[in-house]
Amino acid sequence: MKKNKETKFIFITGGVTSSLGKGIVGASLGVILKSKGLKVTLQKFDPYLNVDPGTMNPYQHGEVFVTEDGCETDLDLGHYERFIDENLSRINNITSGMIYSEVLAKERRGDYLGNTVQIIPHVTNEIKNHIVAATKQNDFDVIITEIGGTIGDIESLPFLEAIRQFQFENKENCIHIHLTLVPYLNSSGEFKTKPTQHSVKELRAIGIQTDVIVCRSSKIFPQEIKQKIALFCDVKTDDVIMCPDAKSIYEVPIYLKNEAIDTVVLQKLGLSQSNSNLVEWENYINIIYQKNKPEVNIGLVGKYTALSDSYLSVTEALKHAAAANKCDCKITWINSETLHQSDGSKKLDECDSILIPGGFGDRGITGKLIAAQYARETNIPYLGLCLGMHIAAIEFARNILNLEDAHSTEFNPNCNDPIIDFLPNQKQLSEMGGTMRLGAYPCVIEQNSKLFSIYKQKEISERHRHRYEFNNAYKALFEDNGIKFSGNSPDGKLVEVIELTDHPWFIACQFHPEFKSRPYKAHPLFFDFIKQTLKLTSS
Ligand code: GLN
């Protein structure tokens, strides 16, 4: 296996419980290493058998994050991009489903020359190839690889075995970080190290000795807890890093740096120590923790409102935009399935503006139409993202153009006025996974538009994930009645953005701008949405 000699590898596993935030810890370490001038990337291995999370219900798995190259990936990739401020690609998220598909395709082609195909070595080799492939993208100094799941899961075993082998083959260039939980027991007033000890023991049983242990805890624990963990787990006290709960995930890089994780990691990888600072992060944190800022209340109307992770990039983009506007952003979650005409406006009345994010399927569509109508009629800002654009167009067609049966063929294939219809290449498709219009596409902006005043650019590029689009047969009718098609594909065939001409701020786009927002580089569309909302609430 050929690999770049200089690249260093950091593997991150998690123990004790899931949801400890391996992704945030990995991304935060990436931030610190990048601030030292190292070229860093992050990779996630997901042990489930889906080829990608694109076909999974957001209730189970949270948001599907879309990369520039159109890969549907785990939401941790969103954290990675937002933290290290680099665009990632399909090589950065590998699933068991992908690995097995590749192994089975090779087997069918006869590539294994009559051998029995087995988890070790065939599946593990395929996994190792993917680690090396990630380094080839851009000659990285460091690649941080997160193994999804928790130690003890059956399905992550092939990945752990692969990294065990990889570490053995590349001893000088690898370290292992294990993330655990140190619970605090209120009843006895003590921090407990036993779960960490057990998790490290479990790792050792599969042949991995961790180099660094990052301990999540509800609050700061004393030095003797570190000493105890070090003693039982065969690491130095300095290699035990404390990571107490933070009010904002964007504070974690600062926490980890204060614990000198960078000194420990660089020394173990044989890289030279160098100074760095996290000024941008500190400034960002200072702004978001500042007290008595004005607040805007955004009504987020969706059907997965019980699990905010389903709209993670949207809520993060709103937070970034609020920080850039030096205000707080309260999100009022409105479940579109329970938003009925009679009581709808009560919930909507609380909101300063409305955002309808992306979505699939006809559940909750009526509630979303009510919300879009409310924003249009009451002149409060409206931002529609993908499905949110379809909703805006349907509502306008029904209530302004009097096309009562206007709909998207996604929800009613036989409607009289299919103002939203299949993209031309989608009609014949039979497979669901990975077949939408995905990833970055250019959009040309009409100069005489609100959109142009926001982006201040004639051409932009944004990420997409959809099967349906605005039906051009209706374009003239919409234009004649107050809709501006302010963003279009360069060939003019696909509508990318619509806006209402006689409304203070009503913009809906076919793309997903949320994927490109970064904490201290708010996305222009979200920035302006919050800015306008703030202006209206303070006037
Ligand atoms: N369901 C719609 C489509 O497939 C919108 C998708 C989305 O909002 N991402 O076109």
Side-chain angles (χ1 to χ4, degrees):
M1 201 184 309
K2 255 185 85 204
K3 67 167 190 64
N4 178 345
K5 264 218 192 84
E6 296 311 308
T7 306
K8 305 287 182 181
F9 301 88
I10 300 173
F11 296 102
I12 303 190
T13 55
V16 183
T17 164
S18 57
S19 303
L20 287 181
K22 291 191 293 291
I24 304 288
V25 166
S28 300
L29 179 57
V31 166
I32 303 170
L33 297 181
K34 189 178 170 190
S35 75
K36 291 175 179 288
L38 293 167
K39 227 191 258 178
V40 183
T41 195
L42 286 125
Q43 185 178 40
K44 169 116 194 240
F45 285 148
D46 275 312
Y48 50 70
L49 285 174
N50 303 61
V51 171
D52 62 44
T55 52
M56 283 187 192
N57 183 336
Y59 258 133
Q60 286 186 26
H61 198 255
E63 160 191 278
V64 173
F65 185 81
V66 180
T67 53
E68 285 285 295
D69 63 345
C71 194
E72 297 173 279
T73 69
D74 183 77
L75 55 73
D76 269 326
L77 276 271
H79 287 311
Y80 298 169
E81 284 204 359
R82 287 187 282 273
F83 274 71
I84 63 167
D85 191 15
E86 302 279 348
N87 290 336
L88 303 176
S89 71
R90 59 187 64 245
I91 200 77
N92 298 83
N93 190 196
I94 306 299
T95 67
S96 290
M98 257 177 224
I99 298 285
Y100 281 103
S101 302
E102 283 164 19
V103 169
L104 293 175
K106 283 187 182 171
E107 186 275 334
R108 290 291 85 183
R109 281 202 306 268
D111 290 3
Y112 295 117
L113 304 174
N115 280 316
T116 309
V117 182
Q118 294 178 295
I119 303 236
I120 307 169
H122 302 100
V123 168
T124 46
N125 280 352
E126 204 64 47
I127 295 170
K128 289 193 282 180
N129 288 340
H130 278 284
I131 301 170
V132 175
T135 68
K136 299 260 171 62
Q137 281 173 313
N138 198 3
D139 221 3
F140 290 107
D141 298 310
V142 180
I143 162 158
I144 302 171
T145 302
E146 174 193 347
I147 318 294
T150 310
I151 295 307
D153 295 347
I154 292 175
E155 52 183 14
S156 52
L157 283 173
F159 288 106
L160 296 170
E161 169 59 14
I163 63 167
R164 184 197 66 76
Q165 293 174 16
F166 193 89
Q167 284 188 258
F168 180 74
E169 291 155 5
N170 302 278
K171 272 199 183 70
E172 306 301 306
N173 293 324
C174 295
I175 62 162
H176 190 107
I177 297 180
H178 191 52
L179 178 66
T180 70
L181 177 71
V182 174
Y184 177 77
L185 297 189
N186 272 326
S187 50
S188 60
E190 286 173 308
F191 289 96
K192 289 293 175 190
T193 65
K194 195 71 87 189
T196 299
Q197 294 176 39
H198 275 291
S199 189
V200 168
K201 186 172 147 215
E202 190 86 17
L203 255 185
R204 281 178 174 160
I206 49 181
I208 297 172
Q209 167 61 47
T210 193
D211 300 287
V212 177
I213 302 173
V214 177
C215 301
R216 284 291 313 279
S217 62
S218 54
K219 47 188 178 179
I220 291 170
F221 53 72
Q223 182 74 359
E224 60 251 38
I225 293 294
K226 285 191 180 183
Q227 285 160 349
K228 193 166 174 190
I229 291 171
L231 181 67
F232 280 98
C233 301
D234 255 351
V235 293
K236 294 203 196 103
T237 311
D238 286 351
D239 302 338
V240 181
I241 306 289
M242 178 173 59
C243 187
D245 289 351
K247 256 203 309 192
S248 161
I249 53 171
Y250 299 115
E251 203 176 359
V252 177
I254 300 167
Y255 276 20
L256 294 183
K257 189 161 164 34
N258 288 345
E259 283 281 290
I261 195 171
D262 46 341
T263 313
V264 168
V265 164
L266 293 176
Q267 184 256 323
K268 288 184 190 296
L269 287 173
L271 293 169
S272 54
Q273 302 285 347
S274 60
N275 290 334
S276 66
N277 65 56
L278 299 177
V279 171
E280 283 135 330
W281 295 83
E282 282 155 7
N283 290 343
Y284 182 78
I285 288 295
N286 284 340
I287 292 174
I288 63 173
Y289 288 175
Q290 211 173 58
K291 296 226 161 66
N292 304 322
K293 294 198 290 295
E295 183 183 80
V296 291
N297 184 353
I298 311 293
L300 202 149
V301 186
K303 69 176 174 189
Y304 303 116
T305 46
L307 183 70
S308 56
D309 269 5
S310 307
Y311 303 112
L312 185 64
S313 291
V314 174
T315 54
E316 291 308 298
L318 286 171
K319 289 181 201 163
H320 307 158
N325 278 291
K326 299 210 168 27
C327 67
D328 283 323
C329 171
K330 175 178 170 204
I331 296 174
T332 297
W333 296 93
I334 300 177
N335 182 347
S336 53
E337 286 184 87
T338 59
L339 189 59
H340 304 299
Q341 195 79 57
S342 52
D343 64 348
S345 63
K346 250 192 278 149
K347 283 179 200 158
L348 297 170
D349 276 345
E350 291 168 25
C351 305
D352 301 322
S353 54
I354 299 292
L355 189 154
I356 300 191
F360 296 83
D362 63 358
R363 264 195 309 121
I365 291 299
T366 310
K368 289 179 187 172
L369 289 168
I370 292 170
Q373 181 178 3
Y374 179 91
R376 182 176 56 74
E377 289 177 348
T378 58
N379 279 338
I380 63 169
Y382 175 89
L383 177 58
L385 309 175
C386 204
L387 177 65
M389 179 191 109
H390 298 176
I391 293 291
I394 296 166
E395 190 279 316
F396 189 85
R398 289 186 183 179
N399 297 324
I400 299 292
L401 306 180
N402 297 319
L403 303 174
E404 275 166 33
D405 196 35
H407 221 325
S408 162
T409 52
E410 178 179 7
F411 313 123
N412 180 5
N414 304 316
C415 61
N416 291 338
D417 288 294
I419 60 142
I420 305 291
D421 200 4
F422 261 128
L423 283 155
N425 60 349
Q426 293 284 326
K427 282 201 171 121
Q428 314 306 332
L429 286 173
S430 57
E431 292 211 350
M432 294 303 277
T435 54
M436 282 183 263
R437 179 170 178 249
L438 288 164
Y441 286 95
C443 163
V444 175
I445 298 183
E446 171 79 35
Q447 293 213 31
N448 178 24
S449 67
K450 181 152 280 133
L451 194 67
F452 186 79
S453 71
I454 293 170
Y455 276 94
K456 299 179 180 62
Q457 256 171 285
K458 277 196 230 142
E459 191 172 316
I460 54 164
S461 166
E462 294 282 6
R463 300 184 197 172
H464 297 69
R465 182 175 185 242
H466 65 118
R467 259 182 237 292
Y468 296 83
E469 58 153 339
F470 186 84
N471 183 345
N472 289 335
Y474 291 87
K475 234 175 157 178
L477 184 60
F478 272 69
E479 265 166 341
D480 291 346
N481 288 279
I483 289 271
K484 188 185 277 289
F485 295 92
S486 53
N488 295 283
S489 60
D491 63 5
K493 288 189 178 152
L494 298 178
V495 169
E496 290 281 2
V497 186
I498 63 173
E499 55 188 64
L500 278 181
T501 47
D502 62 349
H503 187 287
W505 210 103
F506 192 107
I507 299 181
C509 50
Q510 184 59 79
F511 47 73
H512 290 271
E514 67 269 25
F515 294 135
K516 288 175 75 168
S517 178
R518 310 282 204 246
Y520 50 86
K521 288 184 197 163
H523 189 285
L525 211 43
F526 282 87
F527 175 79
D528 212 71
F529 176 58
I530 296 284
K531 186 174 155 196
Q532 180 69 19
T533 308
L534 191 59
K535 206 163 109 192
L536 291 178
T537 52
S538 46
S539 66

